[in-house]
Amino acid sequence: MTLASTIGLVTTSAVHAGAAGTATPRNFASEPGHQIIATALAAASAMGSVTASSSTTISGQDYSLVTVSSATAGQQILRVGAAKTLVRVVDGTVYINDTDTAIQAQFGVSAPKYANRWIEIPPGSSHFAQFNTFILLPSLMSEVAPAGALTTTKMTTVDKTSVVGVTGRPNIHLGLASGSETLYVAANAPHVPVRLVASDVVQGKREVFVISFAHWGQRVSIRRPTPSTPIAATSLPK
């Protein structure tokens, strides 16, 4: 699901790197920002899977988001206060498992009988894109590249991993109207994304949104949940 459509705010989290090499190639850090980003996205695609996570407190409520992503299947766990949503994407179909609070927030109706049950959402449903976005790896990676004119940072270290940052405007998918975004990329091969940091002033307060990327290339095994109920067979909005 999209961060902006779900909570309308940005988040901050602790992060750690998912890949490290044995030597730091200086020429990579000196490349133009757009080339570093292109290399990072190609490396991400080649690795084939990742775990992305964020956590913070929003308006006094705990917030966390963990996405296990591959090119063909993915799972996301979102918690906002008492609301929890588990989403799986398998074989082109979305499956969701909501608490009652999450159902109310996402569908605008109270339907406790469907709480904590798997609901199947096919591509033809009006809700498919809402839940399918930013879970599979290509979609997830579409939200990481900063926009506009890009600059690079000096070499730095994130959890013992050498990185170079590329800074620009926030990616449009992050839901920020302005501000800045820096994507930190591993300086050692494979040059995968390590940390995303975006910030903006929201309602007079500076908010910082951080995503960690870890476990690159690990095997992802996500299965179709059973039993599940097609959304067309429920009283939820279709």
Side-chain angles (χ1 to χ4, degrees), residues 3 10-17 37 41 52-55 139-147 158 163-176 180-186 192-199 208-214 216:
L3 176 72
V10 290
T11 64
T12 188
S13 70
V15 301
H16 73 279
I37 294 296
L41 294 179
S53 60
S54 349
S55 64
S139 181
L140 179 64
M141 289 296 101
S142 73
E143 69 174 342
V144 304
V158 174
V163 297
V164 59
V166 179
T167 301
R169 297 196 311 272
N171 185 297
I172 189 172
H173 298 304
L174 295 179
L176 301 179
S180 66
E181 176 195 340
T182 300
L183 180 68
Y184 292 94
V185 177
V192 292
V194 174
R195 170 189 289 184
L196 182 156
V197 181
S199 65
V208 180
F209 172 37
V210 180
I211 300 177
S212 66
F213 300 99
W216 285 102

Side-chain angles (χ1 to χ4, degrees), residues 15 53 56 64 77 111 135 177-178 182 206 216 232:
V15 301
S53 60
T56 190
S64 67
I77 302 174
I135 295 181
S178 58
T182 300
R206 178 158 296 280
W216 285 102

Side-chain angles (χ1 to χ4, degrees), residues 59-148:
S59 301
Q61 296 189 95
D62 291 336
Y63 167 91
S64 67
L65 182 67
V66 178
T67 305
V68 178
S69 180
S70 77
T72 58
Q75 176 172 286
Q76 186 176 83
I77 302 174
L78 169 68
R79 291 183 173 91
V80 182
K84 176 184 175 182
T85 296
L86 176 58
V87 182
R88 289 184 186 176
V89 180
V90 182
D91 295 330
T93 297
V94 169
Y95 302 87
I96 66 168
N97 189 309
D98 276 347
T99 61
D100 186 34
T101 306
I103 290 175
Q104 177 71 51
Q106 292 164 357
F107 293 95
V109 297
S110 177
K113 66 179 179 179
Y114 299 119
N116 305 308
R117 293 172 52 184
W118 285 105
I119 304 298
E120 178 182 334
I121 303 179
S125 170
S126 62
H127 298 288
F128 181 81
Q130 170 190 349
F131 291 103
N132 183 57
T133 306
F134 307 138
I135 295 181
L136 297 186
L137 187 61
S139 181
L140 179 64
M141 289 296 101
S142 73
E143 69 174 342
V144 304

Side-chain angles (χ1 to χ4, degrees), residues 20-26 28 155 162 186-189 191:
T22 57
T24 301
R26 296 184 179 180
F28 179 74
M155 291 278 294
S162 295
N188 304 317
H191 302 293

